[in-house]
Amino acid sequence: MRFLVLLPAPEAEWAKLPPEEHEKGMRAHARFNRELAEGGHRVVVASPLRPSAEALSMRPDGNGGTTVTDGPFTESVEQIVGFYLIESDDREGVRACCRQLSSTGDLIELRELEGN
């Protein structure tokens, strides 16, 4: 099975955090990676994302074409700032690792990929 761990966060607030808070977050993610590995779960790819202001949104224009605009699809307080794609046969184990990371302050949206 494959799972997508989405990491929504308020970008503007995150950018203003002091360095020690960023270090705390890095330690939490290092622990998350260790616990995933120890549980036999494989991180296929993980990455922070460029700021949502640099996103391109594409929508059908109603005439068979596409309208492309700068920025995210919706204006919101939280944007997806990073993700993990995890491969594992242990759904509950992945959930447990995500619960632990969330307990450190990270907001997580866990989604199972279709066709697993």
Side-chain angles (χ1 to χ4, degrees):
M1 295 177 284
R2 284 190 168 186
F3 302 88
L4 185 61
V5 178
L6 298 171
L7 303 170
E11 287 178 332
E13 289 177 31
W14 188 80
K16 295 176 187 176
L17 290 175
E20 56 272 9
E21 287 299 311
H22 286 278
E23 281 298 316
K24 181 180 166 185
M26 296 301 290
R27 286 191 306 273
H29 282 269
R31 178 179 175 182
F32 180 61
N33 278 278
R34 273 192 319 275
E35 289 177 351
L36 286 169
E38 290 167 0
H41 318 294
R42 186 172 75 89
V43 175
V44 176
V45 64
S47 181
L49 297 173
R50 301 284 304 160
S52 63
E54 296 178 25
L56 291 178
S57 295
M58 299 174 201
R59 294 173 173 80
D61 67 4
N63 296 314
T66 301
T67 300
V68 179
T69 55
D70 292 333
F73 274 112
T74 59
E75 294 294 323
S76 66
V77 174
E78 294 168 339
Q79 298 79 29
I80 302 298
V81 298
F83 70 95
Y84 289 86
L85 178 59
I86 299 168
E87 196 168 66
S88 176
D89 292 328
D90 180 6
R91 178 181 289 118
E92 288 307 313
V94 171
R95 288 179 180 177
C97 289
C98 289
R99 280 193 300 272
Q100 195 289 318
L101 178 60
S102 180
S103 74
T104 67
D106 278 277
L107 178 59
I108 291 176
E109 181 177 333
L110 179 62
R111 307 278 296 270
E112 189 169 339
L113 276 66
E114 287 283 344
N116 281 313

